[in-house]
Amino acid sequence: MRVLGVDPGLTRCGVGVVEGVAGRPLTMIGVGVVRTPADAELGQRLVAVEQGIERWLDEHRPEYVAVERVFSQHNVRTVMGTAQASAVAMLCAARRGIPVALHTPSEVKAAVTGSGRADKAQVGAMVTRLLRLDAPPKPADAADALALAICHIWRAPAQNRLQQAVALHAARSPITSKGRTA
Amino acid sequence: MRVLGVDPGLTRCGVGVVEGVAGRPLTMIGVGVVRTPADAELGQRLVAVEQGIERWLDEHRPEYVAVERVFSQHNVRTVMGTAQASAVAMLCAARRGIPVALHTPSEVKAAVTGSGRADKAQVGAMVTRLLRLDAPPKPADAADALALAICHIWRAPAQNRLQQAVALHAARSPITSKGRTA
């Protein structure tokens, strides 16, 4: 199973591709960050995020995309940008019929460290160990993206099969919209 | 000046096209709602919003897109869907090089009714009068989209020229992303 993890953000969007199955050693296929300049127009930044995600999908052809679930409770100042970047990542995947899974930060931390309240350093250390890397991926957004992909591979293979079936069904029955023109 | 107003939402995304210039009677070109079913996968809903917005851009070729600015303070339960739908609308416009403007709900209400705290009925009544319609557009999301377009036409023509220049400049200097592949 090949999974693209996305830690959404407008300034830095972490992306990481991991291949493997639960219970066996995992392999890192790629890791990086899609960046957009803070002084660009919001629309242009979203276009840049889209282009970046599209490149990762083109290059690595993941079977699943795992995106961090965004909550409106914390980080009020940055949460809008995070929600908007995550929307673009989900859109890019769904357009290609790739199932999208959302995992909360605590689910991801619990999956890779055993504790839902682990700090960034602990997550980085476990990602390094699990993927047998020489050093923790930098910046933290890149490590978080890999942790999301690992979390997805380890969580509920049955859930993945369900999502794939739903995505296939949705791709066959397109949703329509209505409008009126004067 | 032809403006597409977008009142973003996942369940109902209001869209309305208005043509005119400040100080002269305005014309409604079209109004409608892009709907997505609440029980669909989030990724599929975003794809449906994208397809709906694309159809409106194709059909009406607006020179500007005005989107309601989303705040994280209010409506915590629905704000994520609103932010995600607005991201898709901004992305669709920016991809075509169409300048995107954000207006707050109170700016829109103040523009069409004279009061930033007007209720939905008052906004609907003024949209009906300003566009010389027979009845207020339904649902309220559709009327709000028209109000956004009117607000944009009436606010700061100088600001529009600035945005157009910025969008043109951004389209000429694409933003790049970095990554590393194992």
Side-chain angles (χ1 to χ4, degrees), chain A residues 24 71 76 79 85 100 132 151:
Chain A
R24 304 192 60 180
F71 290 106
V76 170
V79 75
V100 178
R132 288 153 289 132
C151 170

Side-chain angles (χ1 to χ4, degrees), chain B residues 16 30 38 42 52 59 63-64 93-94 98 100 113 117-118 120 153-154 165 179:
Chain B
L42 180 52
E59 190 173 347
E63 293 149 89
Y64 297 92
I98 303 173
V100 178
T113 75
R117 287 181 289 174
K120 292 240 172 244
I153 291 170
W154 283 356

Side-chain angles (χ1 to χ4, degrees), chain A residues 50-140:
Chain A
E50 180 186 44
Q51 289 170 346
I53 298 289
E54 286 289 336
R55 266 197 298 275
W56 280 82
L57 293 174
D58 280 342
E59 190 173 346
H60 296 295
R61 307 271 162 196
E63 293 148 88
Y64 297 92
V65 172
V67 182
E68 188 178 294
R69 188 184 291 278
V70 184
F71 290 106
S72 54
Q73 284 84 341
H74 53 69
N75 291 334
V76 170
R77 281 198 57 188
T78 60
V79 75
M80 284 297 123
T82 310
Q84 288 159 342
S86 80
V88 172
M90 288 186 276
L91 177 70
C92 292
R95 237 171 6 204
R96 294 176 183 229
I98 303 173
V100 178
L102 300 173
H103 301 289
T104 68
S106 44
E107 284 167 350
V108 175
K109 290 173 187 172
V112 301
T113 74
S115 164
R117 288 181 291 174
D119 62 14
K120 291 239 172 247
Q122 202 178 341
V123 171
M126 282 307 296
V127 165
T128 309
R129 184 177 308 169
L130 293 167
L131 299 175
R132 288 153 289 132
L133 308 176
D134 298 329
K138 296 267 171 71

Side-chain angles (χ1 to χ4, degrees), chain B residues 9-10 13 34 36 45-54 85 88:
Chain B
L10 274 183
C13 189
V34 176
T36 77
R45 300 183 78 180
L46 296 171
V47 171
V49 171
E50 180 186 44
Q51 290 171 345
I53 298 289
E54 286 289 338
V88 172

Side-chain angles (χ1 to χ4, degrees), chain A residues 29 31 33 35 37 41 43-44 46 50 55 59 72 76 80 91 94-95 166 170 175-178 180-182, chain B residues 29 31 33 37 41 43-44 46 50 55 59 72 76 80 91 94-95 166 170 175-178 180-182:
Chain A
I29 305 296
V31 66
V33 177
R35 293 175 197 271
E41 289 265 300
Q44 290 301 324
L46 295 172
E50 180 186 44
R55 266 197 298 275
E59 190 173 346
S72 54
V76 170
M80 284 297 123
L91 177 70
R95 237 171 6 204
V166 169
I175 300 162
T176 54
S177 71
K178 280 184 235 171
R180 172 165 72 87
T181 296
Chain B
I29 305 296
V31 66
V33 178
E41 289 264 301
Q44 290 300 326
L46 296 171
E50 180 186 44
R55 267 196 296 275
E59 190 173 347
S72 54
V76 170
M80 284 297 123
L91 177 70
R95 239 173 4 205
V166 169
I175 300 162
T176 55
S177 70
K178 280 185 233 167
R180 170 164 74 86
T181 296

